[in-house]
Amino acid sequence: MSVIRIATFNVNSIRTRLEILSRWLGERDANSEGHNEGCVPCDPNISNSKLLARDAHARVPYGAIDVLCIQETKVEDKDFPLLRIKQLGYNCVYCGEKSYNGVAILSKEPLEEVSFGFCDGERDFPTRVVYAKYKGIRILNTYVPQGKEITHPDYQVKLEFLDRVKKFMDTNSVYDAPFLWLGDMNVAPTEIDLTNPKANKENVCFYLPLREKFSRVSNGLVDLFRKFNPDTRHYSFFSYLVKDSLTRNIGWRVDHVLATESAAKMADGCYIDTAPRSWERPSDHTPVVALFKV
DNA sequence: ATGGTAGTAGAACTA
């Protein structure tokens, strides 16, 4: 039996984040049996003001990332830094566009069954959706539309996108085999998934009807971070707009790894690795990593 | 209530 690590990371421009990617993938690979020394284990009862985000990656069994699902590459395919990615020791599939969106999957071994978009005959989202299979685990990596405001037409597109995910999972009968829906969902599912739920009831990533929609769409899937961390306030997004958001732990958990029952049974842990958010020129998101016994 | 930052682009949009 071996362990594989599957991660999701909204990089907010893959070209600007090459240094972060290189360091993160390299350090985790080098630390295969290591732990993050110097951090105390997170106490879920500690007050939020005292809960530093760096605690999120305390006592985590770091190791090489086998599959990295990326969102917001923000680059056309012809300009994708494929050579740099290969030099990091990864295969790569990608589909992007100028300035916005863009998804990719990096993998130690080649992927199988790769496709972009929902492939269901309706308006497709090839730069927001990529599907592939890795060592028997089916993976749907999505960059869910943010939606701007709950009054904005883009919010309706977001809801429709979530319906399309549900349709994809239903028509492809994913539920009886190891399958992951992961990525930047732009949804904080519950009140403990953001620092300030009271001030964000109308926020396009926390509006109750949106969360109800997300709950219906993800019905039957297990939120792996919550499975292993039932009540901890760890976040995967820390706004550039909020001063010292990382060290003050003012953030959102909007990046998720959702697993079918059979995939959840294989899972051996899930954590948010906040270290890259603290490095030079970071993304505003930070990776979420899930471990699987295969 | 607004603005705060970052990325892409080379002004204004997205997040």
Side-chain angles (χ1 to χ4, degrees), chain A residues 11-292:
Chain A
V11 296
N12 186 16
S13 171
I14 194 165
R15 287 178 292 183
T16 302
R17 230 55 72 193
L18 282 168
E19 288 304 312
I20 292 270
L21 282 174
S22 174
R23 178 176 172 186
W24 184 60
L25 292 170
E27 287 189 5
R28 295 301 169 262
D29 205 343
N31 271 346
S32 275
E33 300 303 321
H35 295 260
N36 187 37
E37 295 174 19
C39 285
V40 296
C42 179
D43 176 358
N45 298 314
I46 198 168
S47 73
N48 195 68
S49 61
K50 291 182 178 172
L51 173 61
L52 299 182
R54 61 174 166 76
D55 297 341
H57 54 91
R59 298 283 176 87
V60 158
Y62 286 160
I65 304 299
D66 297 280
V67 179
L68 177 56
C69 295
I70 290 178
Q71 307 85 34
E72 281 209 270
T73 57
K74 292 188 172 180
V75 63
E76 292 175 282
D77 293 347
K78 67 179 175 62
D79 297 321
F80 190 91
L82 184 57
L83 188 58
R84 293 287 303 274
I85 297 298
K86 284 184 171 171
Q87 286 169 343
L88 301 179
Y90 287 84
N91 299 275
C92 188
V93 299
Y94 50 92
C95 184
E97 62 186 282
K98 193 170 186 160
S99 302
Y100 304 113
N101 308 325
V103 287
I105 305 180
L106 280 51
S107 59
K108 287 280 193 187
E109 304 292 330
L111 296 161
E112 301 171 85
E113 299 180 6
V114 178
S115 63
F116 296 93
F118 288 115
C119 304
D120 59 6
E122 296 177 47
R123 176 165 77 122
D124 228 327
F125 292 92
T127 63
R128 288 183 177 274
V129 178
V130 53
Y131 165 84
K133 192 169 86 171
Y134 189 85
K135 299 195 176 188
I137 301 178
R138 292 166 202 276
I139 299 169
L140 183 69
N141 170 25
T142 63
Y143 175 41
V144 177
Q146 190 257 13
K148 296 193 177 74
E149 303 281 341
I150 58 174
T151 54
H152 193 282
D154 284 11
Y155 174 63
Q156 295 305 317
V157 175
K158 180 179 195 173
L159 297 177
E160 289 160 18
F161 185 98
L162 292 171
D163 282 331
R164 299 280 294 284
V165 172
K166 177 67 172 162
K167 183 180 168 191
F168 178 95
M169 297 192 297
D170 288 347
T171 58
N172 290 286
S173 307
V174 302
Y175 301 99
D176 295 330
F179 168 85
L180 305 176
W181 172 28
L182 52 69
D184 180 353
M185 310 296 189
N186 271 311
V187 179
T190 75
E191 296 191 343
I192 61 171
D193 294 315
L194 67 167
T195 307
N196 198 346
K198 289 195 173 66
N200 285 291
K201 289 189 185 303
E202 311 272 278
N203 187 288
V204 74
C205 295
F206 189 61
Y207 190 46
L208 186 55
L210 169 76
R211 291 190 277 137
E212 290 171 342
K213 164 75 78 179
F214 183 72
S215 174
R216 287 192 296 274
V217 170
S218 59
N219 183 42
L221 302 179
V222 178
D223 178 339
L224 289 185
F225 180 83
R226 275 289 166 246
K227 173 184 168 76
F228 292 102
N229 312 274
D231 47 18
T232 47
R233 290 187 301 269
H234 292 168
Y235 311 120
S236 63
F237 167 81
F238 300 90
S239 174
Y240 296 129
L241 304 181
V242 177
K243 185 171 179 289
D244 300 322
S245 58
L246 179 68
T247 50
R248 295 160 68 199
N249 201 34
I250 298 173
W252 295 66
R253 196 175 71 90
V254 291
D255 302 274
H256 307 295
V257 182
L258 308 182
T260 56
E261 286 295 342
S262 56
K265 275 185 191 153
M266 300 164 66
D268 195 33
C270 184
Y271 62 94
I272 297 172
D273 191 344
T274 50
R277 183 64 181 83
S278 71
W279 297 343
E280 201 72 26
R281 262 168 93 79
S283 171
D284 42 4
H285 294 251
T286 204
V288 183
V289 183
L291 287 65
F292 298 89

